[in-house]
């Protein structure tokens, strides 16, 4: 019978089979795209005072923790504000002493009430000026602890105008805009930090799949997986979060935005991706490894075990193909034992039979 192959013990040792069984799967839509930074995880760290970059503790590519010192700025303006606060604190102490003295004189019927009121107003004014001074220092990035140190006559670094630049998030340094010794202005960018543990993927959806994708996206449960050329054996889960308002006229595709968890930080923005989106409800489907599939003159087929020494060719139809897995549409029944490794040996025997060399029996 053309399509039947009788095997030797040597060939048998080179074959591997698998029972065709049902697997829970969902319909899938394939797409390609590219990884990008998530702008919600991106921070530009800028100077809030003019000054000079006195030191930097990080370089481009470094990992940083939230609260880590990134740089130190020496600012004459900050130094002036710190010294002004110390001056106001000293003046408040004098105003409080004067008020206490005037109140004592008034109790002894020596001083006038108006003098007490003037001393109290002077004290309250100094207290208000100190409050405003502290608020200015807070706006310049000093912590409550640092301001308290200045108030108490400590905090030498702050009084010298040294401002520590602190990382607002955990992440990696992706851009450094200044060097040690650079003169910077207020609000000038110093460096950029991004947390790459969460990225965005931009996927291109073909026009024929747009209606399905938009419908599933509105339901809020459109998810799938992606892989990259750099790590082809690793699948990363993704969740679709939005779609563009229009399609690209040149490619006739719709861009969708997907969240990508990157906890191991192996993925990098700019990597090209291939992915699938899972659509609809899960269903039982007959699946096989793609290695079982063979083709001949445009027909897809597999080899099914007939007995210990005989294998039969069975033409099949494919419902879909997903990476290294195929979903069988028809041609073989559940429970069939299918060759998944070494099938090319059996195909070679079939081809020889077609060319008149005879079929192995």
């Amino acid at each position: 019978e053309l399509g039947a192959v009788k095997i030797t013990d040597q060939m048998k040792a080179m074959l591997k089979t698998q029972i065709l069984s049902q697997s829970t799967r969902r319909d899938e839509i394939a797409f390609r795209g590219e990884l990008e930074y998530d702008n919600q995880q991106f921070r530009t760290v800028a100077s809030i005072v003019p000054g000079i970059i006195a030191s930097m503790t990080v370089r481009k590519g470094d990992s940083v923790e939230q609260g880590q010192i990134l740089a130190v700025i020496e600012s004459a303006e900050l130094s002036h504000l710190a010294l002004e606060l110390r001056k106001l604190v000293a003046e408040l102490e004098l105003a409080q002493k004067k008020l206490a003295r005037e109140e004592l004189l008034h109790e002894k019927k020596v001083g006038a009430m108006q003098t007490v009121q003037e001393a109290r107003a002077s004290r309250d004014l100094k207290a208000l000026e100190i409050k405003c001074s502290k608020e200015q220092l807070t706006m310049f990035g000093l912590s409550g602890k640092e301001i308290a140190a200045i108030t108490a006559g400590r905090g030498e670094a702050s009084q010298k105008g040294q401002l520590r630049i602190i990382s607002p998030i955990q992440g990696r340094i992706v851009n450094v805009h200044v060097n040690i010794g650079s003169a910077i202005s207020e609000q000038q960018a110093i460096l950029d930090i991004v947390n790459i543990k969460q990225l965005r993927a931009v996927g291109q959806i073909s026009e024929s799949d747009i209606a399905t994708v938009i419908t599933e996206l509105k339901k809020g449960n459109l998810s799938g997986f992606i892989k990259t050329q750099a790590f082809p054996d690793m699948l990363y889960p993704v969740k679709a979060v939005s779609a563009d308002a229009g399609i690209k006229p040149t490619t006739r595709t719709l861009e969708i935005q997907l969240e990508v968890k990157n906890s191991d930080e192996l993925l990098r923005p700019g990597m090209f991706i291939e992915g699938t989106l899972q659509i609809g409800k899960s269903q039982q489907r007959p699946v096989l490894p793609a290695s079982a599939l063979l083709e001949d003159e445009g027909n897809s087929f597999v080899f099914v075990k007939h007995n210990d020494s005989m294998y039969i060719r069975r033409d099949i139809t494919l419902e879909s193909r997903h990476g290294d897995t195929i979903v069988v549409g028809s041609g073989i029944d559940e429970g069939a034992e299918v060759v998944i490794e070494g099938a090319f040996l059996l195909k070679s025997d079939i081809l020889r039979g077609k060319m008149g060399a005879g079929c192995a029996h």
Side-chain angles (χ1 to χ4, degrees):
E1 178 187 350
L2 189 62
V5 181
K6 188 173 183 179
I7 65 170
T8 63
D9 290 340
Q10 183 179 6
M11 289 179 65
K12 185 185 297 184
M14 302 175 69
L15 302 180
K16 182 178 179 180
T17 62
Q18 177 178 308
I19 302 297
L20 178 65
S21 59
Q22 299 282 333
S23 176
T24 301
R25 300 192 65 84
R26 298 166 66 183
D27 290 334
E28 295 181 341
I29 290 177
F31 68 91
R32 295 176 182 270
E34 186 175 351
L35 292 175
E36 295 182 349
Y37 292 122
D38 184 341
N39 61 2
Q40 296 296 318
Q41 304 295 322
F42 195 98
R43 298 290 187 277
T44 294
V45 180
S47 172
I48 49 181
V49 294
I52 303 294
I53 300 294
S55 65
M56 295 195 70
T57 62
V58 294
R59 294 179 174 85
K60 183 177 180 179
D62 286 354
S63 294
V64 296
E65 298 296 326
Q66 185 176 13
Q68 180 177 332
I69 297 174
L70 306 174
V72 175
I73 297 174
E74 290 184 350
S75 169
E77 185 173 344
L78 178 60
S79 176
H80 173 75
L81 285 174
L83 293 174
E84 181 66 19
L85 176 58
R86 282 297 306 142
K87 176 184 174 184
L88 290 172
V89 169
E91 291 175 351
L92 176 61
E93 291 174 355
L94 290 175
Q96 288 173 330
K97 290 179 180 179
K98 182 178 180 180
L99 174 59
R101 184 176 66 253
E102 295 299 336
E103 287 177 336
L104 180 61
L105 292 174
H106 181 262
E107 288 177 4
K108 293 181 178 181
K109 309 298 184 181
V110 177
M113 185 61 188
Q114 181 178 352
T115 306
V116 173
Q117 292 174 339
E118 290 174 352
R120 184 175 292 123
S122 178
R123 181 206 60 183
D124 292 345
L125 179 60
K126 291 301 177 185
L128 180 60
E129 289 176 343
I130 287 174
K131 180 182 178 182
C132 293
S133 179
K134 288 181 177 180
E135 288 177 351
Q136 280 187 295
L137 290 171
T138 300
M139 291 175 61
F140 276 17
L142 267 63
S143 66
K145 185 177 180 180
E146 289 172 320
I147 295 173
I150 296 173
T151 304
R154 303 188 305 274
E156 292 184 7
S158 298
Q159 293 184 56
K160 291 179 180 178
Q162 293 183 342
L163 176 65
R164 295 181 299 172
I165 303 301
I166 305 299
S167 177
I169 60 170
Q170 179 191 44
R172 287 182 179 271
I173 307 296
V174 291
N175 291 304
V176 177
H177 303 291
V178 297
N179 298 307
I180 295 175
S182 297
I184 57 173
S185 58
E186 186 177 349
Q187 299 303 323
Q188 181 176 338
I190 298 174
L191 44 78
D192 298 321
I193 306 172
V194 65
N195 181 0
I196 64 171
K197 290 184 181 294
Q198 180 170 307
L199 298 174
R200 282 292 179 106
V202 178
Q204 307 293 334
I205 303 299
S206 64
E207 190 168 7
S208 59
D209 293 323
I210 289 177
T212 302
V213 168
I214 290 178
T215 300
E216 292 295 319
L217 187 58
K218 287 181 177 179
K219 296 177 183 178
N221 59 353
L222 185 57
S223 60
F225 297 90
I226 62 168
K227 63 180 181 179
T228 64
Q229 292 181 356
F231 305 103
D233 297 327
M234 299 180 67
L235 291 178
Y236 287 84
V238 296
K239 180 180 180 181
V241 292
S242 63
D244 282 1
I247 65 174
K248 291 184 174 297
T250 54
T251 60
R252 308 304 299 173
T253 57
L254 175 72
E255 281 194 355
I256 62 170
Q257 304 287 328
L258 305 109
E259 291 181 349
V260 184
K261 298 297 183 183
N262 184 33
S263 56
D264 52 14
E265 296 191 6
L266 293 178
L267 301 179
R268 290 291 189 273
M271 284 183 174
F272 292 116
I273 59 170
E274 294 181 355
T276 54
L277 296 173
Q278 298 180 336
I279 306 297
K281 296 181 179 179
S282 298
Q283 298 180 9
Q284 292 290 319
R285 306 286 179 83
V287 297
L288 284 172
S291 58
L293 185 65
L294 299 168
E295 290 190 356
D296 179 24
E297 297 180 352
N299 297 317
S300 298
F301 66 95
V302 297
F303 281 100
V304 176
K305 183 177 180 180
H306 180 66
N307 55 42
D308 286 343
S309 60
M310 185 75 70
Y311 287 79
I312 307 295
R313 167 179 167 162
R314 288 286 182 261
D315 288 350
I316 64 171
T317 61
L318 297 184
E319 184 174 305
S320 58
R321 181 168 185 162
H322 310 285
D324 297 331
T325 302
I326 59 173
V327 179
V328 179
S330 62
I332 51 176
D333 298 324
E334 184 178 357
E337 189 172 349
V338 181
V339 178
I340 61 171
E341 289 185 13
F344 66 93
L345 297 172
L346 305 180
K347 179 182 178 181
S348 298
D349 202 288
I350 293 290
L351 293 177
R352 284 196 299 271
K354 278 190 170 185
M355 292 185 293
C359 181
H361 291 285

